[in-house]
Amino acid sequence: MLDFSSLLLAAALSGTCLSVTMFAIWFTAPRASFVLTVACGILVLVAHVILFWQYTRDPDPVLCQTALALLSLGFLIICLSAMQYLGVSDYGRAVVPTLCAMAVCAAVTFLGLDGIGFVITYATVTVLLSAIGAMFWINGSHDRRILLVVSFLGGTCAVSFALCGMVLLGKGQWTLRAAPDNWAERLNSVVAVACMTGLGALTLSLHHLQAQIELKAETMTDPLTGLMNRRGLTSLYGGRTFGPFMAIVMFDLDHFKRTNDVYGHPVGDQVLCRFAAVINKYARTGVDAFRLGGEEFVIVMSRMTEERAYDLASRIGVAFGTEVVPTPLGPLRSTVSGGIGFGGADGRSLDDVLAEADAALYAAKRAGRNCVVSRKGMGKAEPVEPALRSA
């Protein structure tokens, strides 16, 4: 027969080591706030195990209430860490029911019905663990194999706590006045140690995976405008074949060098950000925007006819022409030229479509700028109103 006290002490030791590891990781990567939350949750559970171990030796009602409260609180914090990681912001859905359950548990335990208090706590923990598993499976966007393991461990631990409650219910043990000691409790101690250790290891893996994703996003993002950069364009579309309903628009801000020379680079940066904001206004499913560098921008459009692609590019040009940037020398209004390249029925590469868009862009500049040109020469975009101060 397994020694129950040894199992509890093993759980406390395992949780302490895991919590210390989490705190160390958070100190090196403070942005990973969910790791700190996990560490706090595990530390609360360690406190629960220590108090519960003490309760097995000295069955004091206050120890019982405190240990049960810490058990629910610890798993609530771990549930909140999962919500942090997955971007689920409605914390109240977990906090309010758990606090209500903790209050009811404290009340019935105070009245001497500690067996019911254990059942309520086990039910609460079962729901929290089940919620963690479900959230990772439903909301997770990473490797499904990792998420499957997280869901499995959370579900297995939930089942072990559910069994503890079912045994107490089955035996009708409403009043215990001592720590429950049965096969379900012993099984739960083993399963909880194994599952929490596994979940801790997976937390480290998810942290590493998240760090990789954030690093990749940073390398593919233009820091000034927030748009994707040339590397992002190549990563997303470098291996794609451009069919007849795909198009690329290449934009170039008109006389941008003069803007920098006359108004200064800070104003030039504002102009670039204004144009990026205009592009984002017209962003939709199937439209991705990129800043290639300097004053060059590209948008890639999917599921677009040539007429709709031209119309969208023209509207972006007209909208940007109405943007006014205040400067010490007076209001500044700039314009943009655009060229469109299209995919083909036989499929074209990114480089081929970019080359066509680039050629069309130069045609737009030769035509006087402030217009959009496609391979069919559909003419100019509607001119904007006269600039207050044109760049």
Side-chain angles (χ1 to χ4, degrees):
M1 181 178 292
L2 292 172
D3 179 52
F4 194 36
S5 296
S6 298
L7 289 175
L8 291 176
L9 292 176
L13 180 60
S14 173
T16 301
C17 294
L18 193 55
S19 181
V20 170
T21 302
M22 296 292 180
F23 278 118
I25 291 175
W26 177 75
F27 276 119
T28 60
R31 290 174 57 186
S33 56
F34 82 98
V35 176
L36 174 63
T37 309
V38 172
C40 292
I42 294 176
L43 206 56
V44 171
L45 291 177
V46 169
H48 154 76
V49 171
I50 293 173
L51 287 183
F52 188 71
W53 173 76
Q54 181 63 31
Y55 179 64
T56 62
R57 300 163 63 86
D58 178 20
D60 180 74
V62 176
L63 275 178
C64 179
Q65 292 182 41
T66 307
L68 291 179
L70 289 176
L71 181 62
S72 295
L73 181 61
F75 280 106
L76 171 62
I77 295 173
I78 291 177
C79 184
L80 294 178
S81 74
M83 297 174 76
Q84 272 185 307
Y85 181 79
L86 296 171
V88 180
S89 58
D90 191 6
Y91 297 146
R93 295 173 61 183
V95 173
V96 174
T98 303
L99 292 181
C100 290
M102 290 170 63
V104 173
C105 175
V108 298
T109 305
F110 178 78
L111 295 175
L113 300 174
D114 55 341
I116 296 178
F118 275 97
V119 171
I120 293 173
T121 300
Y122 290 151
T124 302
V125 172
T126 299
V127 172
L128 288 171
L129 284 167
S130 300
I132 292 172
M135 282 191 298
F136 268 96
W137 186 248
I138 295 172
N139 300 318
S141 58
H142 303 322
D143 192 327
R144 303 302 292 186
R145 293 170 295 182
I146 295 179
L147 301 179
L148 177 61
V149 176
V150 173
S151 299
F152 173 77
L153 290 176
T156 302
C157 198
V159 169
S160 72
F161 277 102
L163 288 174
C164 292
M166 291 171 63
V167 168
L168 294 178
L169 283 174
K171 294 182 177 181
Q173 294 179 308
W174 314 129
T175 302
L176 296 173
R177 293 190 176 91
D181 186 5
N182 52 58
W183 66 267
E185 293 287 343
R186 296 171 184 276
L187 176 64
N188 172 259
S189 298
V190 175
V191 171
V193 171
C195 288
M196 293 309 298
T197 302
L199 285 171
L202 286 173
T203 300
L204 302 181
S205 298
L206 289 171
H207 165 64
H208 180 66
L209 185 58
Q210 185 183 50
Q212 286 184 317
I213 292 173
E214 291 177 352
L215 179 61
K216 183 178 180 181
E218 289 177 0
T219 60
M220 294 197 302
T221 302
D222 173 50
L224 176 63
T225 63
L227 299 178
M228 286 182 282
N229 56 23
R230 186 183 294 271
R231 179 175 293 179
L233 174 63
T234 303
S235 176
L236 289 179
Y237 292 99
R240 292 278 298 273
T241 298
F242 285 72
F245 295 103
M246 294 186 69
I248 291 180
V249 185
M250 182 174 287
F251 289 106
D252 190 276
L253 303 191
D254 297 328
H255 305 298
F256 185 69
K257 184 178 184 303
R258 185 189 306 169
T259 299
N260 280 332
D261 291 342
V262 174
Y263 297 95
H265 288 279
V267 172
D269 289 345
Q270 290 186 52
V271 173
L272 293 172
C273 291
R274 287 292 182 92
F275 183 67
V278 169
I279 290 179
N280 282 328
K281 287 181 183 178
Y282 289 89
R284 64 187 72 171
T285 302
V287 178
D288 293 318
F290 306 85
R291 181 189 176 200
L292 299 189
E295 68 271 28
E296 290 186 336
F297 294 80
V298 157
I299 60 173
V300 179
M301 297 180 282
S302 304
R303 298 185 294 278
M304 285 273 190
T305 62
E306 294 188 5
E307 291 76 15
R308 287 181 60 198
Y310 179 80
D311 178 66
L312 178 61
S314 298
R315 283 189 285 131
I316 289 174
V318 172
F320 179 62
T322 64
E323 292 285 324
V324 177
V325 176
T327 76
L329 300 179
L332 169 65
R333 182 179 287 164
S334 303
T335 60
V336 65
S337 301
I340 310 179
F342 297 95
D346 297 333
R348 305 182 67 193
S349 68
L350 171 64
D351 290 340
D352 290 340
V353 182
L354 276 176
E356 181 180 299
D358 190 50
L361 173 61
Y362 276 98
K365 288 186 174 293
R366 289 194 299 269
R369 294 183 169 86
N370 191 24
C371 63
V372 176
V373 171
S374 70
R375 65 184 177 191
K376 290 187 176 180
M378 288 188 257
K380 295 183 179 181
E382 291 295 324
V384 299
E385 296 179 6
L388 301 178
R389 278 182 184 270
S390 176

